[in-house]
Amino acid sequence: MSSLTVRAAAKINLRLGVGPVREDGYHPLITVYQAVGVYDDVTVTASPTWDVAVEPVGAVDVSAVPLDETNIAVRAGRLLVTHHGIDAAASIWVAKGIPVAGGMAGGSADAAATLVALDRLWELHTPDDELLSLAAQLGSDVPFALLGGTALGTGRGELVEPVPDAGGWWWVAVPSATGLSTAAVYQEHDRLGLGDRQLVPQGLLDALAAGSVEELGATLANDLERPALSLRPDLAAPHDAGLAAGAVAMLLSGSGPTWLALCRDHEHAHWVREGLVDAGFADAVAAPGPVAGAHVVEYA
Ligand code: C5P
C-alpha cells in the first residue's frame, strides 16, 4: 500500500461548561461532544520528506492554514514517528470541508486523521490507549476526533467517554467569514469573570438518550457564547437569523464563530438552511449527528 485516505468529522459541544483557569493555562471542562457530518479527508503517501497541502472543499477559506512544519497534521505525523522510534516521513494532503478557526475542531480532525492514516500506512498497530494519549498531546479536542459519536469530555476536554445517544439529530452549521482564536475567547471568558459551571449536565444526557429534540433544545448550553459575542457582537445576526428561520434552538459551536441551528429532522434542516441562505448566510450547511470518528475511507 502506498497511499490511503482517512475521514474525520467536525465536532460541536452540546454543553460546554468552563471552570476557572488552571495553573497550566487550560480551563477545566465538562463538555458533551458530538461529531457532525462536516468532514476533512486526509490522504497520506510515503515520502522522503514531510510536506502538507490543503485543498478547500466548497466555500471553506483555507488561506490561514499553515503549510509548514507547524501544521497540526505534520506535528501529528512527527509525534507518531518519534513515539515508535522509526525513521519515516509522509506527504499529507488535506481536503478541507470543516471551516477554519470556526470552533468545529478542523485542525483536531486533521491531527486525528493523520494519526490513524499513518498508523495504517506503516502498519504500526498502535494500541488505542497510545493513540489517544498522542492525540491529547496534540490538542484538547483531538482524542474526541478519534472517538467520534457522542461523548462526555472532562479534564481540559481530552478525557473522553462515549454516552448513550438515540441519534438522528440534524443541525445547520452557519460559518462566519472571519475566524475566532480559541485562546482569545477563553481569555475573554476570564476577563468577564465567568465562572464555575462544573456539573455533569444530566438533563442534556437524558434528552440525548431519549431522542427528544425539544428537551435537547432546552438543555443545550455553551459558556463560551457570552465571551465570543463580547469579542464579536456581529455574531448576534446569524443567531437571530437561525431562530427566525425556524431553528428549535441556536448553539455556538465551541469557541465560535460558527453557529449551529438545531432542527427537527432532515427535511426541517433543509428548510432552515434555505431560510438562512435567503437571509444572506450563503454558506449554511445541513449536517447530521452523531457520525463516526476518524476512519479509513480509501486505500490506493
Ligand atoms: O488544546 P488546544 O491546543 O486545542 O487549545 C487551544 C487553546 O485554547 C489553548 O492554548 C488554551 O488557550 C485554550 N484552551 C483552554 N482550556 C481548554 C482548552 C483550550 O484554555 N480546556
Side-chain angles (χ1 to χ4, degrees):
M1 186 199 342
S2 62
S3 177
L4 65 88
T5 302
V6 169
R7 173 165 294 177
K11 66 86 193 162
I12 62 178
N13 304 80
L14 308 180
R15 174 83 180 94
L16 186 46
V18 180
V21 66
R22 308 190 313 202
E23 275 186 7
D24 64 1
Y26 285 90
H27 294 71
L29 303 183
I30 291 189
T31 187
V32 177
Y33 290 111
Q34 186 172 90
V36 297
V38 178
Y39 301 103
D40 281 3
D41 283 349
V42 175
T43 301
V44 295
T45 310
S47 163
T49 52
W50 290 103
D51 65 85
V52 61
V54 182
E55 170 198 27
V57 176
V60 175
D61 176 3
V62 299
S63 58
V65 180
L67 297 175
D68 59 14
E69 303 271 306
T70 64
N71 183 291
I72 194 167
V74 178
R75 291 201 283 118
R78 285 187 172 277
L79 188 64
L80 190 69
V81 160
T82 305
H83 178 74
H84 286 283
I86 55 175
D87 180 18
S91 194
I92 303 169
W93 173 268
V94 181
K96 182 161 277 299
I98 305 176
V100 176
M104 298 186 82
S108 303
D110 298 350
T114 304
L115 286 176
V116 172
L118 293 177
D119 179 69
R120 305 295 184 273
L121 184 74
W122 295 326
E123 297 177 4
L124 297 171
H125 306 289
T126 316
D128 277 1
D129 59 337
E130 290 179 25
L131 269 187
L132 285 165
S133 149
L134 295 174
Q137 292 174 49
L138 290 160
S140 308
D141 297 331
V142 184
F144 176 70
L146 287 174
L147 191 67
T150 305
L152 187 66
T154 53
R156 60 183 164 87
E158 87 283 22
L159 305 172
V160 286
E161 67 181 277
V163 295
D165 184 346
W169 310 108
W170 276 90
W171 305 92
V172 175
V174 194
S176 173
T178 12
L180 255 177
S181 148
T182 300
V185 177
Y186 274 107
Q187 273 169 26
E188 183 69 358
H189 171 274
D190 298 343
R191 196 189 66 79
L192 293 172
L194 301 177
D196 196 3
R197 305 263 303 266
Q198 291 292 288
L199 295 172
V200 172
Q202 196 54 50
L204 171 63
L205 295 176
D206 291 346
L208 287 169
S212 162
V213 73
E214 300 296 343
E215 278 178 49
L216 182 63
T219 50
L220 297 171
N222 180 352
D223 286 358
L224 295 182
E225 238 171 69
R226 249 186 79 190
L229 278 161
S230 164
L231 292 174
R232 288 274 306 274
D234 61 296
L235 290 178
H239 169 274
D240 295 351
L243 290 181
V248 176
M250 293 298 288
L251 171 72
L252 191 75
S253 183
S255 55
T258 306
W259 283 100
L260 282 317
L262 175 63
C263 301
R264 293 180 198 289
D265 52 30
H266 191 185
E267 198 185 342
H268 184 226
H270 280 287
W271 190 69
V272 169
R273 192 192 83 85
E274 279 183 17
L276 279 156
V277 169
D278 289 347
F281 299 96
D283 299 336
V285 55
V291 298
H295 60 284
V296 177
V297 286
E298 192 177 346
Y299 292 97

